[in-house]
Amino acid sequence: RLPVLGRRGAFPLHASVLVGLLAASSAPTPLYALYQAAWHFSAMTLTLVFSAYALALLVALLTAGTLSDHLGRRPVLAAALLAEAVAMAAFATARGVPALIAARILQGLATGAATSAAGAALL
C-alpha cells in the first residue's frame, strides 16, 4: 500500500508537479530556431511543431480529468511524469522533424494529463 500524504504534504507535491511540467513544456522552445537552422525546415513546419503540442494538450485536457476520476490521481500523475521523461529523452535524441513532432505530442499529452489530475488534486 502506498503511503498517504497529509494535506500539508500533498498540496506542495501536486503544485510542484504542475509547475514543473508547465515549465518543462516551454523549455524546448528556444531550441526550435537551432533545429530550424540545422534541419532547414520552413516556418510552416515550425508552426506544425507548435500546433502538435497544443492539439495534444487539448486532447489530454478533455480526457485525462475523467481518467483520473476513475483510476485515481496518483496513477495518472505517475504516468504523466513518465511520459514527460520519455518526451524529454525524445527531444534530446531527435534527428529530424518527425521525431520532434512526436516528442511534442507526447509532451502535450503528458502535460495535459498532469494538469487535469494535479488541478483536481489541488482542489
Side-chain angles (χ1 to χ4, degrees):
R1 182 164 186 209
L2 294 173
V4 177
L5 292 174
R7 285 187 179 168
R8 297 186 114 191
F11 187 86
L13 176 65
H14 290 115
S16 67
V17 166
L18 191 57
V19 168
L21 283 172
L22 290 175
S25 71
S26 64
T29 303
L31 298 175
Y32 293 152
L34 299 175
Y35 289 140
Q36 189 176 25
W39 298 338
H40 309 290
F41 57 83
S42 67
M44 181 60 96
T45 302
L46 184 59
T47 302
L48 179 64
V49 172
F50 273 105
S51 64
Y53 170 80
L55 291 173
L57 179 73
L58 180 61
V59 167
L61 285 171
L62 292 173
T63 58
T66 305
L67 188 64
S68 72
D69 289 341
H70 292 292
L71 297 177
R73 310 289 184 241
R74 280 185 182 187
V76 172
L77 285 171
L81 289 171
L82 179 62
E84 183 70 25
V86 171
M88 289 300 178
F91 275 119
T93 60
R95 298 287 179 243
V97 173
L100 194 60
I101 291 172
R104 202 63 173 143
I105 289 171
L106 185 57
Q107 188 178 39
L109 293 172
T111 303
T115 300
S116 294
L122 287 170
L123 290 175

